[in-house]
Amino acid sequence: MSVVSLLGVKILNNPAPFDAKYQFEITFECLEPLQKDLEWKLTYVGSATSSEHDQELDSLLVGPIPVGVNKFIFEADSPDLKRIPTSEILGVTVILLSCSYDDREFVRVGYYVNNEYDNEEMNDDPPAKPVIEKVRRNILAEKPRVTRFAIKWDTEDSAPAEFPPEQPEADAVEDDGTAYGAEEAELEAAEAEAEVTEGVKEDKEDEEMGGADDTAGPAAAKAEDDESDAGSEDLEAESSGSEEEDIEEEEGDGEADEDMDMGEDTAQTSAGKEPAIQGQHQGEVMVH
């Protein structure tokens, strides 16, 4: 827990000329009496590509710090143009407001700063060498980026933990990995037992099916042979009956042509056909 908490920062002169002083109204709260002072700093980032162009604009020691809410105004000079690359003077850069206790930084506030000319003509066509008197800075105060750090204050109890705290009760708890492995082993054993049971069941069903085939095989084969023989006999009978019928019809037609005028012979021939026709009907009955 931080002993000092930053409550708010108000920029008093914004926007302002590039070479004007920075002015911040800072409000913070102190929860305990402090043995040392707070050190506030303002840093100007001179280049986005290298930190060697960063410059500390000013620093301020504040103390002794009473317990409660405190407020003060922090002023800092404008950056030194000689330490800023010419190509980096105009455009967007960053300023950092930070506070430390006993050389340990515990809070940092970053702001974007836009440096541009105060007229559109020079912004559209800037001169080769920046005219500082015409450059104004605009701090984007609505969008600060605040970063806090845990530090040690005056007592050892306030120091942040370097390692996780000891938890003796955690050693007595059963390891999750062991329990998980035991559950996996039980599950695999149950699956193996189910596979064995299913295999035995399938073997038993196969044996029963095989016995049924052996029992029904000879009788079924014999019945099929009988049906096949019966069918053959019927077809033969039908074939013989049909052949006899055709022969008798041919003979009858021949006799009718030769003995057209012989009534008795015709009658005898007709009487002779009756057994053949009856035989034909008997054959049809056998088939059906």
Side-chain angles (χ1 to χ4, degrees), residues 115-131:
N115 298 317
E116 61 182 0
Y117 288 107
D118 56 4
N119 60 84
E120 295 182 0
E121 292 78 6
M122 298 185 70
N123 286 324
D124 295 338
D125 187 17
K129 184 179 180 180
V131 182

Side-chain angles (χ1 to χ4, degrees), residues 12-288:
L12 301 179
N13 57 339
N14 188 53
F18 182 85
D19 54 358
K21 288 182 175 290
Y22 290 88
Q23 295 181 351
F24 300 92
E25 183 182 85
I26 301 173
T27 305
F28 66 93
E29 182 181 15
C30 184
L31 302 179
E32 299 176 2
L34 296 177
Q35 300 176 2
K36 300 179 181 180
D37 297 339
L38 297 177
E39 183 179 15
W40 296 84
K41 293 181 181 181
L42 183 63
T43 304
Y44 185 90
V45 178
S47 175
T49 60
S50 176
S51 60
E52 66 180 12
H53 300 289
D54 295 353
Q55 49 182 304
E56 183 180 308
L57 301 184
D58 207 345
S59 64
L60 177 67
L61 292 175
V62 179
I65 307 296
V67 175
V69 177
N70 299 271
K71 182 186 295 185
F72 71 100
I73 294 177
F74 178 31
E75 290 188 357
D77 294 332
S78 61
D80 185 1
L81 292 175
K82 297 178 181 179
R83 299 177 58 182
I84 304 174
T86 303
S87 60
E88 302 278 357
I89 293 177
L90 297 176
V92 179
T93 186
V94 174
I95 57 173
L96 300 173
L97 177 66
S98 61
C99 188
S100 302
Y101 181 76
D102 195 18
D103 293 330
R104 294 185 288 269
E105 182 181 15
F106 65 90
V107 65
R108 180 190 303 169
V109 184
Y111 295 96
Y112 286 109
V113 180
N114 184 28
N115 298 317
E116 61 182 0
Y117 288 107
D118 56 4
N119 60 84
E120 295 182 0
E121 292 78 6
M122 298 185 70
N123 286 324
D124 295 338
D125 187 17
K129 184 179 180 180
V131 182
I132 300 302
E133 294 78 8
K134 297 289 184 178
V135 177
R136 295 179 64 82
R137 67 167 186 252
N138 184 14
I139 302 174
L140 303 181
E142 296 81 8
K143 297 181 180 180
R145 183 178 181 86
V146 181
T147 306
R148 293 179 173 84
F149 308 95
I151 66 168
K152 174 187 174 182
W153 297 88
D154 291 332
T155 61
E156 293 294 336
D157 296 339
S158 63
E162 296 182 0
F163 302 99
E166 295 183 0
Q167 298 178 348
E169 65 279 1
D171 297 335
V173 180
E174 184 179 357
D175 188 7
D176 292 341
T178 304
Y180 181 75
E183 292 177 359
E184 266 194 343
E186 292 178 0
L187 181 60
E188 291 177 357
E191 291 178 351
E193 183 178 356
E195 290 177 359
V196 172
T197 304
E198 186 176 355
V200 172
K201 184 177 179 182
E202 290 178 354
D203 294 340
K204 186 176 181 181
E205 291 177 355
D206 293 341
E207 291 177 359
E208 292 177 356
M209 292 295 292
D213 293 342
D214 295 339
T215 303
K222 183 177 180 181
E224 290 177 358
D225 293 340
D226 294 342
E227 291 178 0
S228 178
D229 295 341
S232 300
E233 290 175 0
D234 294 343
L235 291 173
E236 289 174 0
E238 184 178 0
S239 299
S240 62
S242 299
E243 290 175 358
E244 291 175 359
E245 181 181 356
D246 294 339
I247 294 170
E248 290 174 357
E249 286 179 356
E250 290 176 358
E251 291 176 355
D253 293 340
E255 291 175 357
D257 292 339
E258 292 175 359
D259 302 329
M260 185 67 67
D261 298 333
M262 298 175 64
E264 293 179 358
D265 294 338
T266 304
Q268 292 176 358
T269 305
S270 299
K273 285 183 181 180
E274 289 178 0
I277 295 172
Q278 292 176 358
Q280 179 182 0
H281 288 299
Q282 292 177 356
E284 290 178 355
V285 171
M286 290 178 64
V287 172
H288 292 288

